[in-house]
Amino acid sequence: MNPVAEPPQKSHPSHLSKETRRRHDREIIALAVPAFGALVAEPLFVMVDSAVVGHLGTPQLAGLGVAAALLTTAVNIFVFLAYATTAAVARRVGAGDLPGAIRQGMDGIWLALLLGVAVIALVVPTAPALVGLFGASDTAAPFAVTYLRISAFGIPAMLAVLAATGVLRGLQDTRTPLYVALGGFTANAGLNAALVYGAGLGIAGSAWGTVIAQNAMAVVYLYVVVRGARRHGASLRPDAAGIRACAQAGVPLLIRTLSLRAVLLIATAVAAGLGDTEIAAHQITLTVWSLLAFALDAIAIAGQAIIGRYLGADDPAGARAACRRMVQWGIASGVLLGLLVVASRPLIATLFTSDPSVRSALMPVLLVVAVSQPVSGIVFILDGVLMGAGDGPYLAWSMLATLAVFAPVALAVPALGGGLTALWWAMTLMMLTRLVALQLRARSGRWIVTGAVRA
């Protein structure tokens, strides 16, 4: 490993030749477009379940909503399995060590399976208590417990999919995850319909259909990874030291993820306290914001893979150049997305609600979201760059600092007489705080540590 002390050059298009920009653009597009498709396909699982279960009755749908929220939280907490694995594998690829890259990926997959088994052991016996924490009604709670207990058996597969996705991204392959996600979505839709209605299993059928689809996805991923391991002579056996190293690398990213989740929970709690109209408009806004995040996150995923590869290849200049170009992509994408939100505000309001009061509350908030998109574009890109560099500890501390800034401001909104628009300005402050922290790190050059492994 060779830490590079000097700061990176200032981001300016003139520092990149036309051919270099084109080369980076081709790489970014090749990785980001399939990544975006895979990211969008993932939430469709819950949408399919909701559409199928919704016809069984309101209690069943309410139970699904509670269980799905718990499952989504449980899986999202471990998203570091994808992020950390991508960075570690990409470094090995850059260093020309494909057997080591796949070995590193297998360590991540073994960690995912171990965590998945632990989550099953926790969720199955405590399902009634967990559902109770969400305040499910007496009629909805039994359905929530049923769905949660069955779906828990799909969690190891879901976590293995996260880790295996990280392996393939690190290997510069985002197409396979897209194909697997689309196949999983299609299988889930067919299985749900067959088991819920054809077999008459009700909400349990929906849960089993999702579990089967998730395990099938994991099998496909494992087949691809195992085939690569055999081709390059990489060991498939669990390695205690390697698994422990993966866990240690993931802890800072876990802290980062939990801090971000805390931001979103605080914002939702504040919006709920503002009234029914405000929380409804907030949920719509959060849905739009999340969809925009998918587009920006796709470029960030490309950044994780590309930056890790350059640093593994002992090419700090290439890492800097790639970072500059991706930041330019982030700014341009943010501006474009912001303009799209401004232009589509009436359509968004009409699509999501027929309540005039909710529409009225929604329109100014969407303007705030639109204005913040260029900032979000830079934040997502630099977040991905630092993840690709394995700079997890800094990401953890900076996100904790961001939470410390955001929480008192957001909680003060109702006390100061502010409404939903003020709350979303607080969300924009959160993104600006992240921007400052990430930009300072990017300019310092301390994230640039080359070598096949970052100590």
Side-chain angles (χ1 to χ4, degrees):
M1 277 72 64
N2 304 303
V4 179
E6 71 271 21
Q9 301 173 13
K10 293 181 180 179
S11 298
H12 194 282
S14 64
H15 291 154
L16 300 177
S17 69
K18 190 173 183 180
E19 180 54 36
T20 300
R21 289 199 302 271
R22 285 178 177 175
R23 175 164 50 84
H24 286 310
D25 290 347
R26 286 194 296 269
E27 276 195 312
I28 293 167
I29 291 171
L31 291 170
V33 172
F36 175 70
L39 287 170
V40 171
E42 290 171 8
L44 294 179
F45 268 74
V46 176
M47 289 180 62
V48 167
D49 289 6
S50 299
V52 173
V53 172
H55 291 285
L56 294 175
T58 299
Q60 289 90 333
L61 184 58
L64 171 64
V66 171
L70 285 164
L71 288 165
T72 300
T73 299
V75 173
N76 284 346
I77 285 174
F78 297 113
V79 73
F80 71 83
L81 289 165
Y83 294 157
T85 305
T86 297
V89 171
R91 275 183 175 269
R92 296 275 189 178
V93 170
D97 181 12
L98 283 178
I102 296 173
R103 173 67 263 175
Q104 189 100 42
M106 283 304 305
D107 291 336
I109 292 172
W110 280 114
L111 175 61
L113 293 173
L114 290 172
L115 289 172
V117 171
V119 173
I120 289 179
L122 174 66
V123 168
V124 171
T126 63
L130 292 172
V131 168
L133 289 175
F134 271 65
S137 67
D138 292 340
T139 54
F143 296 110
V145 171
T146 297
Y147 190 92
L148 182 59
R149 279 181 165 159
I150 295 173
S151 294
F153 291 96
I155 289 177
M158 295 167 73
L159 299 187
V161 165
L162 282 177
T165 299
V167 175
L168 295 180
R169 288 172 181 171
L171 294 170
Q172 318 296 296
D173 175 11
T174 56
R175 290 182 178 273
T176 299
L178 170 61
Y179 299 148
V180 176
L182 291 175
F185 165 72
T186 304
N188 182 55
L191 286 166
N192 263 260
L195 295 176
V196 171
Y197 300 121
L201 296 179
I203 194 169
S206 176
W208 281 119
T210 301
V211 167
I212 294 170
Q214 288 162 346
N215 278 276
M217 290 171 66
V219 167
V220 173
Y221 272 118
L222 290 174
Y223 170 77
V224 172
V225 174
V226 169
R227 185 180 61 181
R230 288 176 175 169
R231 183 185 305 132
H232 296 287
S235 173
L236 297 173
R237 294 180 180 178
D239 176 66
I243 294 171
R244 188 163 53 250
C246 286
Q248 289 171 347
V251 168
L253 295 181
L254 173 63
I255 294 171
R256 167 203 168 274
T257 300
L258 290 174
S259 300
L260 182 56
R261 297 292 297 180
V263 165
L264 299 178
L265 287 173
I266 290 170
T268 300
V270 171
L274 295 174
D276 291 346
T277 296
E278 287 75 10
I279 187 59
H282 174 76
Q283 287 302 115
I284 295 171
T285 305
L286 198 58
T287 300
V288 173
W289 189 79
S290 299
L291 181 60
L292 299 173
F294 282 141
L296 298 173
D297 203 28
I299 306 174
I301 287 170
Q304 293 171 30
I306 293 170
I307 293 297
R309 193 189 73 230
Y310 274 116
L311 294 177
D314 197 15
D315 185 1
R320 291 192 192 98
C323 176
R324 287 197 297 273
R325 190 55 178 166
M326 282 183 284
V327 167
Q328 292 165 9
W329 267 76
I331 295 171
S333 300
V335 170
L336 177 60
L337 291 173
L339 292 174
L340 285 174
V341 172
V342 171
S344 61
R345 282 188 310 150
L347 177 61
I348 292 171
T350 302
L351 180 65
F352 281 96
T353 180
S354 58
D355 187 330
S357 62
V358 175
R359 289 182 183 178
S360 178
L362 185 62
M363 296 298 276
V365 178
L366 289 176
L367 271 182
V368 177
V369 171
V371 168
S372 69
Q373 285 310 294
V375 173
S376 297
I378 302 173
V379 167
F380 273 80
I381 299 309
L382 292 180
D383 201 47
V385 165
L386 297 186
M387 283 185 189
D391 202 14
Y394 184 83
L395 290 172
W397 284 111
S398 64
M399 197 61 224
L400 283 171
T402 299
L403 175 61
V405 171
F406 170 78
V409 174
L411 294 173
V413 166
L416 297 176
L420 189 62
T421 303
L423 176 61
W424 274 89
W425 277 120
M427 289 285 286
T428 302
L429 172 64
M430 179 269 293
M431 294 302 290
L432 286 169
T433 305
R434 293 182 71 189
L435 174 63
V436 171
L438 295 173
Q439 188 69 18
L440 287 173
R441 188 64 167 183
R443 289 183 176 276
S444 75
R446 294 178 182 176
W447 58 277
I448 305 177
V449 180
T450 60
V453 179
R454 175 169 179 144

